[in-house]
Amino acid sequence: MKITDAKVFVGGPGKNYVTLKIMTDQGVYGLGDATLNNRETLPAAYLQDYLIPNLIGMDPRNSEDIWQFFYRGAYFRRGPIAMAAFGAIDMALWDIKGKLANMPLYQLFGGKSRDGAMVYAHATGADLEDLMDSIAHYVALGYKAVRVQCGIPGMPTASYAVPEIRGEGKHYISDFTGIRPKVEVWDSARYMRYMPDALMNIREKFGPDLHILHDVHHRLTPREAAQFAKAVEPANLFWLEDPTPAEDQSALELLRQHSSVPIAIGEVFNSIYDCNRLIEKELIDYIRVAVTYAGGITPVKRIVDLAGLHNIRTGFHGAPSHSPLCMAAQAHLNAWAPNFGIQEYLVLGTPACDALFPSRHRMENGMVYVSDAPGLGVEFDESEAAQYSYTPGSHPIVRLEDGTMWNY
Ligand code: KDG
Ligand code: MG
């Protein structure tokens, strides 16, 4: 069996999805996602210029060897651009494998460990009252877990994932604002004074059963993160996400000495070598890699197994930037993983997105139910894709009040 051709498409409804289609001499094809949020043309070029010319003629069933060929063969290893491009190839090869076996991918991993996988939504508010309305909206829809972010009184601008205007927060996305980034102004002291009580108010209003998550988005120093983690303990969070910048992994040792709040990290990681120290030293409770950014199903499955050895559960990244193909790969891993924790899941632009990527994966009452169709279980409608093209976008940047650049 041979790969005969591969094509890359960039575009989508409100997002630049980077979709790879690998064709074979047996008529079976596979789909993969290389959407590196706000840098989408780069993995697309890597695929087109370097990887696809090598793929043609390879046996698509040898997904492990093909992954090693590209990873080891690059010499300059890792990095988000290369790993997103390898991720798309690996996903597409697993899609082909599933179609050849006539089985959904979760069967190839070891079958289902659960029927539905719990997801969390993003509730946001310009202020706490607005956030409470947003949480109530998701609770009414049946969500069991909600990530909560709100505006901080006295903060000069809205901060991470927070809308400026009340009532506009239910589907608020803060990135994709054009080629020149929007500037947010940040003040850690104000945030640390306000947020612990706000989280406690949310806990009191919604009761003990709702799973409450909060994302610090890499904003605190190690000492501040330790102090903050201790302060939010009474709110009994499901997790505290990215309290410190991901590069400084020793920061979490200080946090662990002061707090037992569950920690989730890894959305910016792109290999097992970014995760292994945190997992082996048990400095985190949830690993947040995404199948696309971390190089595909093959390496992410290894990360999940390593995490399982240390009682660390999964909480895969699933921001609005993730293509339905990445979400499908994660849905199959979530259905199988013995150490599944939760899945971030946002339903955005659904009719147009569903038309581009038809599938039978479904969301009901805050749970995702994986499709039984062979492979990833997602189609790609090329006639729909023809209406979309690349639109430049960026993440916001963050400055302190005196102008100092800070972490987004
Ligand atoms: O591309 C980056 C976004 O996906 C990120 O800002 C979202 O922090 C995020 C999250 O938890 O989804
Ligand atoms: Mg996050």
Side-chain angles (χ1 to χ4, degrees):
M1 186 174 185
K2 286 199 174 357
I3 294 171
T4 50
D5 198 6
K7 288 196 271 187
V8 183
F9 304 81
V10 182
K15 273 287 153 200
N16 296 309
Y17 296 129
V18 182
T19 305
L20 173 71
K21 181 171 182 181
I22 295 181
M23 278 72 78
T24 69
D25 57 359
Q26 296 190 10
V28 182
Y29 62 86
L31 298 167
D33 169 48
T35 310
L36 179 60
N37 195 21
N38 291 321
R39 295 290 184 273
E40 297 88 349
T41 54
L42 304 178
Y46 195 4
L47 281 161
Q48 256 145 0
D49 297 347
Y50 297 97
L51 307 180
I52 291 174
N54 277 292
L55 259 184
I56 293 169
M58 286 180 169
D59 185 333
R61 293 169 299 185
N62 296 335
S63 48
E64 179 70 60
D65 185 64
I66 293 175
W67 196 88
Q68 300 291 338
F69 175 93
F70 288 125
Y71 180 78
R72 291 173 194 267
Y75 186 59
F76 301 102
R77 292 182 190 171
R78 302 156 66 186
I81 298 165
M83 295 301 265
F86 304 164
I89 293 175
D90 187 71
M91 242 180 263
L93 298 181
W94 276 96
D95 192 24
I96 291 172
K97 211 183 289 298
K99 287 171 178 165
L100 291 173
N102 199 26
M103 284 184 187
L105 284 191
Y106 68 79
Q107 289 293 5
L108 304 187
F109 303 155
K112 263 190 200 175
S113 303
R114 60 195 59 75
D115 286 331
M118 180 169 70
V119 305
Y120 69 89
H122 286 189
T124 86
D127 57 30
L128 184 57
E129 199 190 335
D130 194 30
L131 171 59
M132 297 285 197
D133 291 346
S134 177
I135 300 169
H137 163 82
Y138 287 111
V139 169
L141 290 176
Y143 282 85
K144 293 151 189 61
V146 184
R147 187 191 78 169
V148 302
Q149 310 292 136
C150 74
I152 308 295
M155 196 81 89
T157 66
S159 60
Y160 168 67
V162 169
E164 268 156 41
I165 301 167
R166 297 177 105 243
E168 291 200 343
K170 286 190 188 67
H171 297 297
Y172 183 70
I173 317 174
S174 50
D175 59 1
F176 209 65
T177 53
I179 197 70
R180 287 192 186 273
K182 189 177 97 189
V183 182
E184 291 179 355
V185 180
W186 176 254
D187 180 341
S188 295
R190 278 203 185 94
Y191 168 78
M192 288 176 64
R193 277 200 303 273
Y194 185 73
M195 208 60 214
D197 285 347
L199 291 169
M200 203 51 219
N201 288 343
I202 295 167
R203 170 60 69 214
E204 276 159 12
K205 178 161 173 148
F206 289 93
D209 291 335
L210 182 69
H211 296 307
I212 300 171
L213 298 77
H214 179 65
D215 191 348
V216 185
H217 226 244
H218 323 278
R219 300 281 166 94
L220 300 179
T221 64
R223 189 206 55 76
E224 288 168 345
Q227 187 184 349
F228 187 75
K230 197 158 69 169
V232 300
E233 270 183 4
N236 196 20
L237 297 183
F238 184 91
W239 81 31
L240 185 67
E241 180 179 335
D242 288 330
T244 50
E247 298 94 325
D248 178 12
Q249 301 198 338
S250 55
L252 297 175
E253 286 171 18
L254 184 65
L255 190 154
R256 283 296 212 209
Q257 286 159 18
H258 293 275
S259 170
S260 58
V261 69
I263 299 297
I265 284 193
E267 65 180 51
V268 298
F269 291 174
N270 52 68
S271 89
I272 197 165
Y273 300 106
D274 298 321
C275 314
N276 64 335
R277 177 166 167 226
L278 295 182
I279 293 173
E280 284 159 3
K281 290 192 149 193
E282 301 181 358
L283 292 175
I284 57 173
D285 301 276
Y286 295 90
I287 183 70
R288 276 199 35 80
V289 288
V291 167
T292 302
Y293 300 152
I297 291 168
T298 300
V300 168
K301 203 165 164 304
R302 286 205 249 293
I303 294 172
V304 173
D305 282 331
L306 178 66
L309 292 181
H310 294 273
N311 290 305
I312 291 163
R313 297 198 276 156
T314 62
F316 295 138
H317 192 201
S321 44
H322 289 91
S323 146
L325 289 164
C326 172
M327 296 307 287
Q330 295 180 175
H332 287 282
L333 288 168
N334 290 336
W336 152 77
N339 52 331
F340 167 75
I342 197 166
Q343 171 66 59
E344 182 181 26
Y345 190 94
L346 296 160
V347 190
L348 287 168
T350 305
C353 205
D354 286 353
L356 184 60
F357 295 103
S359 88
R360 296 205 307 270
H361 297 283
R362 66 189 169 85
M363 239 277 298
E364 221 177 273
N365 284 328
M367 310 284 274
V368 161
Y369 294 89
V370 70
S371 163
D372 280 331
L376 284 169
V378 179
E379 285 305 319
F380 179 63
D381 187 327
E382 290 179 45
S383 57
E384 281 286 323
Q387 65 183 290
Y388 301 113
S389 57
Y390 173 70
T391 314
S394 345
H395 293 99
I397 58 144
V398 176
R399 291 187 184 275
L400 303 183
E401 279 181 272
D402 69 358
T404 307
M405 271 298 287
W406 204 244
N407 312 305
Y408 176 61

PDB file of all heavy atoms in Angstrom, residues 214-234:
ATOM      1  N   HIS A 214     -10.187  27.281  36.792  1.00  0.00           N
ATOM      2  CA  HIS A 214      -9.758  28.672  36.562  1.00  0.00           C
ATOM      3  C   HIS A 214      -8.377  28.669  35.909  1.00  0.00           C
ATOM      4  O   HIS A 214      -7.508  27.888  36.285  1.00  0.00           O
ATOM      5  CB  HIS A 214      -9.745  29.440  37.888  1.00  0.00           C
ATOM      6  CG  HIS A 214      -9.304  30.855  37.744  1.00  0.00           C
ATOM      7  ND1 HIS A 214     -10.030  31.791  37.030  1.00  0.00           N
ATOM      8  CD2 HIS A 214      -8.187  31.507  38.176  1.00  0.00           C
ATOM      9  CE1 HIS A 214      -9.394  32.951  37.047  1.00  0.00           C
ATOM     10  NE2 HIS A 214      -8.272  32.803  37.729  1.00  0.00           N
ATOM     11  N   ASP A 215      -8.215  29.552  34.907  1.00  0.00           N
ATOM     12  CA  ASP A 215      -6.969  29.605  34.121  1.00  0.00           C
ATOM     13  C   ASP A 215      -6.225  30.897  34.440  1.00  0.00           C
ATOM     14  O   ASP A 215      -6.741  31.996  34.200  1.00  0.00           O
ATOM     15  CB  ASP A 215      -7.352  29.566  32.619  1.00  0.00           C
ATOM     16  CG  ASP A 215      -6.161  29.361  31.706  1.00  0.00           C
ATOM     17  OD1 ASP A 215      -5.016  29.474  32.174  1.00  0.00           O
ATOM     18  OD2 ASP A 215      -6.393  29.080  30.511  1.00  0.00           O
ATOM     19  N   VAL A 216      -5.018  30.785  34.970  1.00  0.00           N
ATOM     20  CA  VAL A 216      -4.218  31.969  35.310  1.00  0.00           C
ATOM     21  C   VAL A 216      -3.428  32.453  34.082  1.00  0.00           C
ATOM     22  O   VAL A 216      -2.916  33.570  34.050  1.00  0.00           O
ATOM     23  CB  VAL A 216      -3.281  31.667  36.506  1.00  0.00           C
ATOM     24  CG1 VAL A 216      -2.531  32.907  36.955  1.00  0.00           C
ATOM     25  CG2 VAL A 216      -4.050  31.079  37.678  1.00  0.00           C
ATOM     26  N   HIS A 217      -3.344  31.622  33.085  1.00  0.00           N
ATOM     27  CA  HIS A 217      -2.701  31.976  31.805  1.00  0.00           C
ATOM     28  C   HIS A 217      -1.286  32.504  31.993  1.00  0.00           C
ATOM     29  O   HIS A 217      -0.916  33.548  31.432  1.00  0.00           O
ATOM     30  CB  HIS A 217      -3.586  32.950  31.012  1.00  0.00           C
ATOM     31  CG  HIS A 217      -3.712  32.554  29.581  1.00  0.00           C
ATOM     32  ND1 HIS A 217      -3.240  33.308  28.541  1.00  0.00           N
ATOM     33  CD2 HIS A 217      -4.233  31.449  29.026  1.00  0.00           C
ATOM     34  CE1 HIS A 217      -3.475  32.696  27.397  1.00  0.00           C
ATOM     35  NE2 HIS A 217      -4.074  31.554  27.662  1.00  0.00           N
ATOM     36  N   HIS A 218      -0.500  31.781  32.796  1.00  0.00           N
ATOM     37  CA  HIS A 218       0.958  32.013  32.920  1.00  0.00           C
ATOM     38  C   HIS A 218       1.308  33.369  33.525  1.00  0.00           C
ATOM     39  O   HIS A 218       2.410  33.878  33.302  1.00  0.00           O
ATOM     40  CB  HIS A 218       1.655  31.924  31.553  1.00  0.00           C
ATOM     41  CG  HIS A 218       1.113  30.897  30.621  1.00  0.00           C
ATOM     42  ND1 HIS A 218       1.469  29.577  30.698  1.00  0.00           N
ATOM     43  CD2 HIS A 218       0.258  30.992  29.574  1.00  0.00           C
ATOM     44  CE1 HIS A 218       0.855  28.904  29.732  1.00  0.00           C
ATOM     45  NE2 HIS A 218       0.104  29.736  29.044  1.00  0.00           N
ATOM     46  N   ARG A 219       0.402  33.981  34.307  1.00  0.00           N
ATOM     47  CA  ARG A 219       0.629  35.383  34.671  1.00  0.00           C
ATOM     48  C   ARG A 219       1.436  35.611  35.957  1.00  0.00           C
ATOM     49  O   ARG A 219       1.884  36.730  36.191  1.00  0.00           O
ATOM     50  CB  ARG A 219      -0.726  36.097  34.832  1.00  0.00           C
ATOM     51  CG  ARG A 219      -1.594  36.104  33.585  1.00  0.00           C
ATOM     52  CD  ARG A 219      -1.150  37.144  32.602  1.00  0.00           C
ATOM     53  NE  ARG A 219      -1.757  36.955  31.293  1.00  0.00           N
ATOM     54  CZ  ARG A 219      -2.870  37.539  30.870  1.00  0.00           C
ATOM     55  NH1 ARG A 219      -3.529  38.336  31.675  1.00  0.00           N
ATOM     56  NH2 ARG A 219      -3.320  37.330  29.653  1.00  0.00           N
ATOM     57  N   LEU A 220       1.549  34.583  36.832  1.00  0.00           N
ATOM     58  CA  LEU A 220       2.103  34.847  38.165  1.00  0.00           C
ATOM     59  C   LEU A 220       3.557  34.399  38.291  1.00  0.00           C
ATOM     60  O   LEU A 220       3.999  33.487  37.583  1.00  0.00           O
ATOM     61  CB  LEU A 220       1.244  34.156  39.235  1.00  0.00           C
ATOM     62  CG  LEU A 220      -0.226  34.604  39.290  1.00  0.00           C
ATOM     63  CD1 LEU A 220      -0.984  33.839  40.372  1.00  0.00           C
ATOM     64  CD2 LEU A 220      -0.347  36.118  39.521  1.00  0.00           C
ATOM     65  N   THR A 221       4.265  35.030  39.206  1.00  0.00           N
ATOM     66  CA  THR A 221       5.627  34.582  39.534  1.00  0.00           C
ATOM     67  C   THR A 221       5.489  33.343  40.435  1.00  0.00           C
ATOM     68  O   THR A 221       4.415  33.095  41.008  1.00  0.00           O
ATOM     69  CB  THR A 221       6.402  35.665  40.305  1.00  0.00           C
ATOM     70  OG1 THR A 221       5.737  35.861  41.558  1.00  0.00           O
ATOM     71  CG2 THR A 221       6.447  36.977  39.532  1.00  0.00           C
ATOM     72  N   PRO A 222       6.564  32.560  40.618  1.00  0.00           N
ATOM     73  CA  PRO A 222       6.449  31.354  41.457  1.00  0.00           C
ATOM     74  C   PRO A 222       5.909  31.650  42.860  1.00  0.00           C
ATOM     75  O   PRO A 222       5.024  30.956  43.357  1.00  0.00           O
ATOM     76  CB  PRO A 222       7.884  30.824  41.500  1.00  0.00           C
ATOM     77  CG  PRO A 222       8.505  31.316  40.231  1.00  0.00           C
ATOM     78  CD  PRO A 222       7.874  32.648  39.956  1.00  0.00           C
ATOM     79  N   ARG A 223       6.413  32.704  43.500  1.00  0.00           N
ATOM     80  CA  ARG A 223       5.933  33.000  44.862  1.00  0.00           C
ATOM     81  C   ARG A 223       4.468  33.428  44.846  1.00  0.00           C
ATOM     82  O   ARG A 223       3.667  33.003  45.665  1.00  0.00           O
ATOM     83  CB  ARG A 223       6.801  34.098  45.504  1.00  0.00           C
ATOM     84  CG  ARG A 223       6.495  34.292  46.983  1.00  0.00           C
ATOM     85  CD  ARG A 223       6.817  35.692  47.485  1.00  0.00           C
ATOM     86  NE  ARG A 223       6.169  36.745  46.717  1.00  0.00           N
ATOM     87  CZ  ARG A 223       4.869  37.078  46.810  1.00  0.00           C
ATOM     88  NH1 ARG A 223       4.075  36.427  47.636  1.00  0.00           N
ATOM     89  NH2 ARG A 223       4.359  38.059  46.062  1.00  0.00           N
ATOM     90  N   GLU A 224       4.121  34.267  43.875  1.00  0.00           N
ATOM     91  CA  GLU A 224       2.713  34.698  43.786  1.00  0.00           C
ATOM     92  C   GLU A 224       1.800  33.501  43.530  1.00  0.00           C
ATOM     93  O   GLU A 224       0.707  33.403  44.090  1.00  0.00           O
ATOM     94  CB  GLU A 224       2.541  35.696  42.635  1.00  0.00           C
ATOM     95  CG  GLU A 224       3.122  37.059  42.893  1.00  0.00           C
ATOM     96  CD  GLU A 224       3.188  37.918  41.632  1.00  0.00           C
ATOM     97  OE1 GLU A 224       3.057  37.366  40.505  1.00  0.00           O
ATOM     98  OE2 GLU A 224       3.399  39.119  41.774  1.00  0.00           O
ATOM     99  N   ALA A 225       2.250  32.591  42.673  1.00  0.00           N
ATOM    100  CA  ALA A 225       1.425  31.422  42.335  1.00  0.00           C
ATOM    101  C   ALA A 225       1.195  30.558  43.569  1.00  0.00           C
ATOM    102  O   ALA A 225       0.090  30.049  43.793  1.00  0.00           O
ATOM    103  CB  ALA A 225       2.087  30.614  41.226  1.00  0.00           C
ATOM    104  N   ALA A 226       2.238  30.408  44.384  1.00  0.00           N
ATOM    105  CA  ALA A 226       2.103  29.609  45.611  1.00  0.00           C
ATOM    106  C   ALA A 226       1.090  30.268  46.555  1.00  0.00           C
ATOM    107  O   ALA A 226       0.208  29.612  47.117  1.00  0.00           O
ATOM    108  CB  ALA A 226       3.466  29.464  46.287  1.00  0.00           C
ATOM    109  N   GLN A 227       1.209  31.596  46.683  1.00  0.00           N
ATOM    110  CA  GLN A 227       0.298  32.344  47.571  1.00  0.00           C
ATOM    111  C   GLN A 227      -1.143  32.256  47.041  1.00  0.00           C
ATOM    112  O   GLN A 227      -2.088  32.044  47.808  1.00  0.00           O
ATOM    113  CB  GLN A 227       0.767  33.801  47.609  1.00  0.00           C
ATOM    114  CG  GLN A 227       0.034  34.640  48.615  1.00  0.00           C
ATOM    115  CD  GLN A 227       0.470  36.120  48.532  1.00  0.00           C
ATOM    116  OE1 GLN A 227       1.456  36.463  47.862  1.00  0.00           O
ATOM    117  NE2 GLN A 227      -0.264  36.973  49.208  1.00  0.00           N
ATOM    118  N   PHE A 228      -1.294  32.404  45.738  1.00  0.00           N
ATOM    119  CA  PHE A 228      -2.625  32.388  45.120  1.00  0.00           C
ATOM    120  C   PHE A 228      -3.261  31.001  45.263  1.00  0.00           C
ATOM    121  O   PHE A 228      -4.435  30.872  45.621  1.00  0.00           O
ATOM    122  CB  PHE A 228      -2.507  32.780  43.640  1.00  0.00           C
ATOM    123  CG  PHE A 228      -3.824  32.960  42.943  1.00  0.00           C
ATOM    124  CD1 PHE A 228      -4.597  34.081  43.178  1.00  0.00           C
ATOM    125  CD2 PHE A 228      -4.295  32.010  42.045  1.00  0.00           C
ATOM    126  CE1 PHE A 228      -5.828  34.255  42.536  1.00  0.00           C
ATOM    127  CE2 PHE A 228      -5.521  32.168  41.401  1.00  0.00           C
ATOM    128  CZ  PHE A 228      -6.284  33.296  41.649  1.00  0.00           C
ATOM    129  N   ALA A 229      -2.465  29.968  45.005  1.00  0.00           N
ATOM    130  CA  ALA A 229      -2.988  28.590  45.088  1.00  0.00           C
ATOM    131  C   ALA A 229      -3.503  28.313  46.504  1.00  0.00           C
ATOM    132  O   ALA A 229      -4.547  27.683  46.693  1.00  0.00           O
ATOM    133  CB  ALA A 229      -1.909  27.592  44.683  1.00  0.00           C
ATOM    134  N   LYS A 230      -2.761  28.799  47.494  1.00  0.00           N
ATOM    135  CA  LYS A 230      -3.183  28.609  48.889  1.00  0.00           C
ATOM    136  C   LYS A 230      -4.484  29.379  49.153  1.00  0.00           C
ATOM    137  O   LYS A 230      -5.403  28.866  49.765  1.00  0.00           O
ATOM    138  CB  LYS A 230      -2.064  29.111  49.808  1.00  0.00           C
ATOM    139  CG  LYS A 230      -2.162  28.626  51.217  1.00  0.00           C
ATOM    140  CD  LYS A 230      -0.825  28.673  51.921  1.00  0.00           C
ATOM    141  CE  LYS A 230      -0.366  30.088  52.175  1.00  0.00           C
ATOM    142  NZ  LYS A 230       0.786  30.161  53.079  1.00  0.00           N
ATOM    143  N   ALA A 231      -4.555  30.577  48.601  1.00  0.00           N
ATOM    144  CA  ALA A 231      -5.723  31.432  48.857  1.00  0.00           C
ATOM    145  C   ALA A 231      -6.997  30.884  48.216  1.00  0.00           C
ATOM    146  O   ALA A 231      -8.092  31.134  48.719  1.00  0.00           O
ATOM    147  CB  ALA A 231      -5.449  32.846  48.355  1.00  0.00           C
ATOM    148  N   VAL A 232      -6.883  30.168  47.103  1.00  0.00           N
ATOM    149  CA  VAL A 232      -8.106  29.692  46.429  1.00  0.00           C
ATOM    150  C   VAL A 232      -8.547  28.304  46.936  1.00  0.00           C
ATOM    151  O   VAL A 232      -9.573  27.789  46.495  1.00  0.00           O
ATOM    152  CB  VAL A 232      -7.966  29.663  44.874  1.00  0.00           C
ATOM    153  CG1 VAL A 232      -7.662  31.056  44.341  1.00  0.00           C
ATOM    154  CG2 VAL A 232      -6.929  28.656  44.395  1.00  0.00           C
ATOM    155  N   GLU A 233      -7.806  27.719  47.855  1.00  0.00           N
ATOM    156  CA  GLU A 233      -8.154  26.371  48.335  1.00  0.00           C
ATOM    157  C   GLU A 233      -9.591  26.234  48.843  1.00  0.00           C
ATOM    158  O   GLU A 233     -10.261  25.252  48.518  1.00  0.00           O
ATOM    159  CB  GLU A 233      -7.159  25.900  49.386  1.00  0.00           C
ATOM    160  CG  GLU A 233      -6.021  25.168  48.718  1.00  0.00           C
ATOM    161  CD  GLU A 233      -5.011  24.592  49.682  1.00  0.00           C
ATOM    162  OE1 GLU A 233      -5.232  24.691  50.905  1.00  0.00           O
ATOM    163  OE2 GLU A 233      -4.006  24.069  49.194  1.00  0.00           O
ATOM    164  N   PRO A 234     -10.141  27.214  49.606  1.00  0.00           N
ATOM    165  CA  PRO A 234     -11.517  27.037  50.110  1.00  0.00           C
ATOM    166  C   PRO A 234     -12.556  26.897  48.990  1.00  0.00           C
ATOM    167  O   PRO A 234     -13.637  26.346  49.217  1.00  0.00           O
ATOM    168  CB  PRO A 234     -11.771  28.314  50.920  1.00  0.00           C
ATOM    169  CG  PRO A 234     -10.420  28.855  51.244  1.00  0.00           C
ATOM    170  CD  PRO A 234      -9.508  28.429  50.141  1.00  0.00           C
TER     171      PRO A 234
END
